[in-house]
Amino acid sequence: MENKSTAATNAKVRNYIADDISFTILSKLPLQSLNRFRCVRKSWSLLFENQHLMNMIRKNFLCNLNCCSYYDQSSLLLKYLDETHKDILYSLSRERFGNKVKLDCKNLIDHLYIFRIFGLGSINGIVCVHANSNCGAIVFWNPATQAIKLIPPSPLELVELPIPGVAKEFVNVEAFTYLHGFGYDSVIDDYKVICLVSFDIQVELGDTFSDSLLEDIYLDELWEIYSLRSNSWRKLDIDMPSSSYCIEGTQVYMDGVCHWLCEENTPAGPCLVSFYLRNEVFCITPIPSDEDDCFKFKASKINLVLLNGSISLTAFHRETTTFHIAILGELGIKESWIKLFTVGPLSCVERPIGVGTKGEIFFQRKDNELAWFDLSTQVIEELGYKARGPYTRISLYKENILVIEGISN
């Protein structure tokens, strides 16, 4: 029969788990779960400072990227200008993107001569495409079926604002539409678009042309949402941060939520805004900042991407020619960003143009050749195309030939 001392010793042995075993278990957990353990005990809050554990987490993350089913049977859309400076789309698929198929986008070009693909790519086979301007048309397009839907203009864009005491012909109102989100509401089977509308109003004053003056009148910006089911726009009674530029690579959609990046000049500071399509509420996640300023907008080219089904930031530093990648553990919590990878220096990089289904980093080289960096193999390979102009972009695409109500050939 064991005495009390022996029993206590055995209990301690049974309760003790070696670091190697602990790290092996922890490294295989989802990053969202691992991040929550920081608040369990003080020693666990320092987990991400242990390089051995971080190396194990990176290894498992890359392994999960290669077997992730989130983008099964997806291909890539490459948009670039050909020799005549005409927009061209290619579908890239299979190993090392060896299968390259030129897409027929004539009906798209008929509506939008020069266009951009919004967000990361398609949702249920539908691509949201918009004109290369802040006041241009928006189109839903299915490359597989050539089905297309030209979104009607917002009533806010056509508004005529009466100014007391000023004749209508002396008032010039110009509306600017900034596309922020495109997503799918699975509860009601509806595709939606979120836009910010701002106004530039000028009133001409004076009795004659020679002494006339222009007075600027400023109105608050307005949010609006488009529904494919109703084929209509409506105003959103909401006050949330907006992006100043809405440039490519700063918006993503995942599981009923539209996300976009806001730069440093917003009232909320640099942050991620997440808008829930179902109940039309939003939350804000501050962007991480640390001593090397790797996610400062002014110092780097920041893209919002999806990696292994997680919201992620990729920041390319022009001065150091390095990429920094951080994964978000939990929406709304700044401390849940986990800086996972630093890639480079890659002195040949001019600018990033997108991320692939397995975490490949696509970029334009300084000689304008398009190439990609494989996170798993650490190898750079050429894509076989040359960039012309600033709007070359890689997007994700999963083919879907189902007929979607409201989008017709």
Side-chain angles (χ1 to χ4, degrees):
M1 183 174 181
E2 62 180 4
N3 57 35
K4 291 183 179 180
S5 176
T6 304
T9 302
N10 290 340
K12 289 181 180 179
V13 171
R14 286 195 297 268
N15 291 333
Y16 174 75
I17 302 176
D19 284 348
D20 286 348
I21 298 176
S22 299
F23 288 171
T24 300
I25 296 172
L26 291 173
S27 67
K28 294 181 179 180
L29 292 175
L31 290 178
Q32 292 87 341
S33 300
L34 187 58
N35 180 73
R36 291 172 185 168
F37 292 155
R38 281 177 164 175
C39 61
V40 173
R41 56 191 298 179
K42 185 175 181 181
S43 61
W44 284 31
S45 66
L46 304 176
L47 280 174
F48 296 108
E49 295 180 14
N50 186 294
Q51 289 305 309
H52 178 54
L53 174 61
M54 289 304 298
N55 287 335
M56 295 178 72
I57 291 174
R58 293 185 187 100
K59 182 179 178 180
N60 284 320
F61 187 86
L62 291 173
C63 180
N64 291 335
L65 270 178
N66 291 325
C67 60
C68 178
S69 61
Y70 197 84
Y71 294 119
D72 278 354
Q73 286 150 19
S74 293
S75 60
L76 301 179
L77 284 181
L78 168 63
K79 175 192 168 295
Y80 79 113
L81 297 177
D82 66 5
E83 294 84 354
T84 64
H85 289 269
K86 177 182 176 182
D87 278 322
I88 298 293
L89 283 175
Y90 272 88
S91 171
L92 311 177
S93 59
R94 296 183 184 171
E95 186 178 356
R96 298 167 65 183
F97 314 106
N99 185 40
K100 301 178 175 68
V101 179
K102 185 179 179 180
L103 299 180
D104 179 9
C105 51
K106 181 181 181 303
N107 62 342
L108 182 60
I109 293 175
D110 288 342
H111 290 85
L112 306 171
Y113 180 69
I114 300 177
F115 61 87
R116 296 187 189 185
I117 295 175
F118 181 80
L120 278 186
S122 69
I123 300 174
N124 300 332
I126 303 302
V127 180
C128 182
V129 185
H130 62 112
N132 193 21
S133 70
N134 292 328
C135 303
I138 301 172
V139 168
F140 289 169
W141 178 55
N142 188 332
T145 64
Q146 290 299 304
I148 199 164
K149 168 66 178 178
L150 180 62
I151 307 304
S154 160
L156 292 177
E157 296 178 38
L158 309 175
V159 68
E160 292 185 0
L161 299 174
I163 307 297
V166 181
K168 178 180 175 181
E169 58 266 26
F170 295 112
V171 180
N172 179 43
V173 180
E174 189 172 7
F176 296 89
T177 302
Y178 300 91
L179 183 56
H180 276 68
F182 162 57
Y184 175 64
D185 185 346
S186 60
V187 176
I188 60 174
D189 187 26
D190 196 8
Y191 296 83
K192 298 179 178 180
V193 170
I194 305 118
C195 286
L196 181 76
V197 181
S198 65
F199 302 95
D200 182 12
I201 304 174
Q202 291 185 327
V203 179
E204 188 174 338
L205 306 174
D207 297 328
T208 64
F209 180 80
S210 60
D211 64 358
S212 66
L213 299 173
L214 289 178
E215 179 184 8
D216 290 323
I217 298 178
Y218 299 97
L219 292 180
D220 291 337
E221 298 173 326
L222 300 173
W223 286 100
E224 60 179 351
I225 189 166
Y226 168 80
S227 161
L228 178 63
R229 284 179 67 89
S230 65
N231 192 32
S232 63
W233 294 88
R234 63 179 171 84
K235 181 182 173 183
L236 278 173
D237 187 17
I238 196 169
D239 182 18
M240 58 184 171
S242 61
S243 172
S244 301
Y245 304 107
C246 290
I247 57 176
E248 291 174 306
T250 58
Q251 310 94 0
V252 301
Y253 161 84
M254 186 175 71
D255 299 336
V257 185
C258 295
H259 309 267
W260 59 83
L261 289 178
C262 292
E263 301 80 10
E264 291 179 284
N265 57 348
T266 64
C271 63
L272 170 73
V273 178
S274 303
F275 180 82
Y276 294 79
L277 294 173
R278 178 78 291 266
N279 52 9
E280 297 183 355
V281 298
F282 72 95
C283 76
I284 293 174
T285 309
I287 297 298
S289 58
D290 50 34
E291 65 279 358
D292 59 7
D293 292 335
C294 62
F295 293 103
K296 289 288 187 181
F297 280 84
K298 292 181 180 179
S300 56
K301 171 71 173 176
I302 296 183
N303 281 346
L304 187 63
V305 301
L306 295 180
L307 287 179
N308 203 16
S310 297
I311 301 294
S312 308
L313 289 177
T314 65
F316 174 66
H317 274 231
R318 299 178 183 91
E319 291 186 4
T320 61
T321 66
T322 55
F323 284 94
H324 300 267
I325 300 175
I327 313 298
L328 179 60
E330 189 169 354
L331 287 175
I333 301 178
K334 177 180 180 179
E335 292 74 21
S336 71
W337 289 102
I338 302 170
K339 185 177 173 183
L340 206 55
F341 297 101
T342 298
V343 177
L346 303 175
S347 59
C348 62
V349 176
E350 174 64 24
R351 65 182 185 93
I353 62 170
V355 172
T357 58
K358 303 300 181 184
E360 306 92 345
I361 300 174
F362 290 86
F363 58 90
Q364 177 183 330
R365 294 194 326 202
K366 291 181 178 178
D367 61 1
N368 291 329
E369 288 289 338
L370 302 183
W372 53 283
F373 177 85
D374 191 316
L375 277 175
S376 299
T377 64
Q378 303 283 296
V379 172
I380 294 177
E381 294 195 45
E382 289 188 358
L383 200 55
Y385 296 93
K386 185 181 286 288
R388 297 176 181 85
Y391 301 121
T392 300
R393 192 73 193 166
I394 287 285
S395 304
L396 304 178
Y397 173 63
K398 181 178 283 191
E399 184 176 293
N400 191 332
I401 60 173
L402 295 177
V403 176
I404 296 177
E405 185 178 353
I407 304 177
S408 58
N409 294 82

